[in-house]
Amino acid sequence: MGWEFQPAINTAGGLLCFWNEQVFKLERKEMGRGFILLEGVWTQENQKICVVNIYSPCHSQQKRILCDSLKQLTQQDPEGLWCFMRDFNSIRHHSEREGVSHRGADASNIHDFNKWIAEVELEEIPCVGKKFTWFKPNGVAKSRLDMFLVSLNWLNKWPACTSFTLDRNFFDHCPILLRAKAVEWGPKPFRVFDC
């Protein structure tokens, strides 16, 4: 196994990445405040990919700095297969949060987050399972903060991607899982209805 980490500051912001070195051959890594970039070859598909593990700060200004850094990374390889994952500490729509009433702040953050997604030309992978990925310890508040965002080239290569929200254990976040598998269904059946 290969691994990389970024220590937490107080109780937040820590990142941990690990991978099977026979499945993913690391060629480059880059770390910044709130992210770890791993670029390498996914050997099963013989495909070069860029995976970015993210822990976004809660403060809006720090969030903008992180988003600008991530945007610059994608501009280095605009044709690459990019996957951004984990805790964005942002929601995309008001329905992704319950039990918290910060409508004014949410509206601005939602706008900024969706604008960044559009500028970087990312798509959110559809999620199966639980609607929310973060829960306040007492259970009165919950949000969908964790997701996979991929480039259009990633989706062209693996159009049948799905993300799964798994059961939460002792953390306040649920683990999320990405399945990126090309499925060959064979030839499409031809049918004619004479009406």
Side-chain angles (χ1 to χ4, degrees), residues 118-188:
E119 287 174 354
V120 183
E121 297 180 346
L122 300 175
E123 292 289 329
E124 184 178 353
I125 297 297
C127 181
V128 175
K130 296 173 180 36
K131 180 178 178 181
F132 302 105
T133 61
W134 172 85
F135 296 84
K136 199 169 188 174
N138 61 10
V140 298
K142 48 193 169 186
S143 299
R144 180 163 155 62
L145 303 178
D146 306 276
M147 64 192 76
F148 292 97
L149 299 172
V150 298
S151 65
L152 297 176
N153 290 334
W154 181 289
L155 274 184
N156 288 336
K157 179 72 178 169
W158 299 292
C161 285
T162 307
S163 89
F164 299 87
T165 303
L166 306 177
D167 288 333
R168 179 172 67 106
N169 50 27
F170 48 86
F171 294 110
D172 57 352
H173 287 262
C174 297
I176 57 174
L177 176 70
L178 174 68
R179 178 173 224 155
K181 185 175 183 180
V183 178
E184 179 55 54
W185 297 103
K188 293 181 180 175

Side-chain angles (χ1 to χ4, degrees), residues 1-6 14-20 24 26 29-31 35-38 51-55 85-86:
M1 297 297 284
W3 61 280
E4 190 59 57
F5 81 102
Q6 192 173 86
L15 291 168
L16 174 64
C17 303
F18 57 93
W19 60 93
N20 181 334
F24 180 72
L26 182 67
K29 67 180 176 186
E30 189 169 331
M31 294 175 40
F35 74 89
I36 298 175
L37 163 76
L38 302 173
V51 178
V52 185
N53 189 1
I54 295 170
Y55 183 91
M85 63 178 164
R86 205 53 198 151

Side-chain angles (χ1 to χ4, degrees), residues 25-175:
K25 299 289 184 191
L26 182 67
E27 294 180 348
R28 175 175 82 106
K29 67 180 176 186
E30 189 169 331
M31 294 175 40
R33 187 173 172 141
F35 74 89
I36 298 175
L37 163 76
L38 302 173
E39 182 179 348
V41 175
W42 184 4
T43 58
Q44 292 175 330
E45 298 279 335
N46 194 27
Q47 184 66 56
K48 186 175 181 177
I49 60 174
C50 298
V51 178
V52 185
N53 189 1
I54 295 170
Y55 183 91
S56 179
C58 293
H59 189 268
S60 296
Q61 183 59 31
Q62 293 172 340
K63 207 175 280 198
R64 284 188 199 98
I65 293 169
L66 173 62
C67 286
D68 287 344
S69 299
L70 298 174
K71 186 176 176 181
Q72 289 173 7
L73 287 174
T74 61
Q75 290 170 345
Q76 295 172 10
D77 185 9
E79 299 302 315
L81 300 173
W82 289 90
C83 177
F84 295 87
M85 63 178 164
R86 205 53 198 151
D87 186 358
F88 291 91
N89 267 321
S90 292
I91 58 173
R92 300 199 62 199
H93 189 272
H94 289 292
S95 65
E96 295 179 344
R97 176 164 286 157
E98 286 184 8
V100 181
S101 59
H102 298 292
R103 287 286 186 188
D106 270 356
S108 175
N109 287 333
I110 288 170
H111 176 266
D112 290 349
F113 188 43
N114 285 321
K115 181 180 174 188
W116 173 77
I117 289 170
E119 287 174 354
V120 183
E121 297 180 346
L122 300 175
E123 292 289 329
E124 184 178 353
I125 297 297
C127 181
V128 175
K130 296 173 180 36
K131 180 178 178 181
F132 302 105
T133 61
W134 172 85
F135 296 84
K136 199 169 188 174
N138 61 10
V140 298
K142 48 193 169 186
S143 299
R144 180 163 155 62
L145 303 178
D146 306 276
M147 64 192 76
F148 292 97
L149 299 172
V150 298
S151 65
L152 297 176
N153 290 334
W154 181 289
L155 274 184
N156 288 336
K157 179 72 178 169
W158 299 292
C161 285
T162 307
S163 89
F164 299 87
T165 303
L166 306 177
D167 288 333
R168 179 172 67 106
N169 50 27
F170 48 86
F171 294 110
D172 57 352
H173 287 262
C174 297

